[in-house]
Amino acid sequence: MNLQGKRLVIGMTGGIAAYKVCELVRRVQDEGATVRVVMSRAAQEFVTPTTMQALSGQPVATDQWGAEGARVANAMPHIDLTRDADALLIAPCTANFIAKLAHGLADDLLSTLALARRLAPPCPLLVAPAMNVEMWNNPATQRNLATIRGDGVELLGPASGNQACGETGAGRMLEPHELLEDLIAFFQPKLLAERRVLITAGPTFEPIDPVRGISNLSSGKMGFALARAAREAGARVTLVAGPSGLSTPRGVRRIDVVTAREMYDAVMGYANRADVFVGVAAVADWRVVNTSPRKLKKNADAGPPALQFEANPDILAAVAAMPGGPLTVGFAAESENVVANGQAKRAAKRVAMIVANQAQDALASDEAEVHLIDAGGVRALPRAPKLAQARQIVAAIAQLLA
Ligand code: CTP
C-alpha cells in the first residue's frame, strides 16, 4: 500500500468535480491512508456530508461552530484538524478558494484551517483546481496561482478537455486515479530531483512482412514502473517504449517505437542530455533483412520462407560507450546462474549497475526478485511488486550518482 499510515485532510469546495472526490476518498483508503473530510458550504450543494462521512468512515467537518466545535475539546477545529495531518488536499479547489488562499482570508472552517496549518514542521498544502476555462485563464486567477505557488503550495493539475459547463480548455480537475498517483508521488523522497532520466521499456517488434514479425513476451511492466518511480523521485523522465498496452505514468514523456533500430535512434537522439540511462527493454538481438513488402503467401511446394537476419545495435552498450555519457544501468534476464551471468553482462557492457532477474519475472509478472550488481558488490532484493522494486532501484541509482 502506497499511502500506508498517512493521515490526510481533504477539503472540498463548491464545484461539480466534487463527485470525483467521492471516489478519491475510497482510493486513498485502499492505499492505507486515513481521511478526514472538511466541506465548505458550497461543496455541500454538490455532495452531502452524509455521503462523505460514509465514504471516509469519519465525521465530516463543515463548520467552525456547532457540532464540530463541540466535538473538539478546545472548540478549535480550525487548529485541531491539521495538527496530526501529513497533508491537506483541497479538491475540488475553486477559483474563489484559490483567491482566499492567496490573500490569507479565513472566513469559514476550511479557509481558516488552511491558514492555521503549521509551516514547521510543515503540513503541506496540495490544491487540485477545478473551474471553467475562462475563470482559469482570468489574470486574477493566474496572479493568485503564482502567489500560492510562491508560498510553496503544490498544484495538482488541472487537466484540459471538455468541461461540465460545455466549454473546452484548461481547468478540469484531474481524475481520481491521477490525483491518487500525484498524491503518492508527493510523499516519495526526491532522490533524483531535476535529474534527466532516459529509460527503455517493453519488447521490440521486427517485421517480416506487413502483417507478421518477431517479438517477445516482455510486458513493459518493469520499465514503466521504473519510469513512474523516477518521476516520483523528482526526475524528468523520458520513456522510449516498444509496443505495449500499458498507460504512461503521470508526468512522464513517452516516445513510442516499434523496432530495435527505432529505439536506438530515439535513445541516441537524447542520451547526451540524460544524467541516467536505464535499459529495461527486451530488445530483439536480430532483425530480418529480406522483409517482404507484400504478405508472404503459403506455398507448400516451396517450403518455409528463408529468413535472413542481421544483428541489431546494442543500445545499452552504445550508451555506455559514449564519452561523457550518462550513468548507465542495464537489466539481465536470466533463467539460471542469475548473479554470475549478471556480473558477466555488467563487465561485457561496461555499465555502472546491472539489475539481474529471473527471465520468467521479467516477462509478464507483477512481481520480481532481483539482484543489484555494481562495483560495490551484489545486493539481493526479495520478491516484491515491481513498483516497490523500482523505487529501490531508483534509490540505488541516486547513491551511484552521489
Ligand atoms: N539491450 C540493449 N540493446 C540490445 C540488446 C540488449 O539495449 N540490442 C539491453 C537491454 O535493455 C538490457 C540488457 O541490454 O538492459 C540485456 O542485455 P542482453 O545481453 O541482451 O541480455 P539478454 O537478452 O538477457 O542476453 P542473453 O540473451 O545473452 O542472455
Side-chain angles (χ1 to χ4, degrees), residues 21-31 35 54-56:
V21 177
C22 300
E23 174 73 13
L24 178 68
V25 165
R26 288 305 287 264
R27 301 286 298 272
V28 295
Q29 290 174 91
D30 294 343
E31 294 289 352
V35 191
L55 291 172
S56 66

Side-chain angles (χ1 to χ4, degrees), residues 200 277 279-285 312-317 329-334 345 349:
T200 64
F277 172 70
V280 195
V283 185
D285 291 324
N312 273 325
D314 189 317
I315 302 166
L316 184 65
V329 176
F331 272 66
E334 307 293 343
K345 212 159 273 179
K349 303 210 184 193

Side-chain angles (χ1 to χ4, degrees), residues 6-7 82-88 114 116-126 151-153 186-187:
K6 295 285 183 239
R7 290 155 305 187
T82 61
R83 279 302 173 264
D84 64 352
D86 294 299
L88 167 60
R117 76 187 201 286
R118 232 180 224 140
L119 297 181
C123 171
L125 176 57
L126 294 86
D151 291 342
V153 172
F186 176 78
F187 286 113

Side-chain angles (χ1 to χ4, degrees), residues 166-208:
E167 299 185 0
T168 306
R172 245 180 93 96
M173 194 177 81
L174 297 182
E175 298 302 317
H177 70 273
E178 296 172 315
L179 286 175
L180 183 70
E181 203 173 317
D182 282 358
L183 202 53
I184 290 168
F186 176 78
F187 286 113
Q188 291 301 317
K190 302 299 168 226
L191 299 173
L192 296 178
E194 294 307 313
R195 299 287 197 169
R196 282 160 303 184
V197 176
L198 177 63
I199 297 171
T200 64
T204 61
F205 179 91
E206 305 298 330
I208 295 172

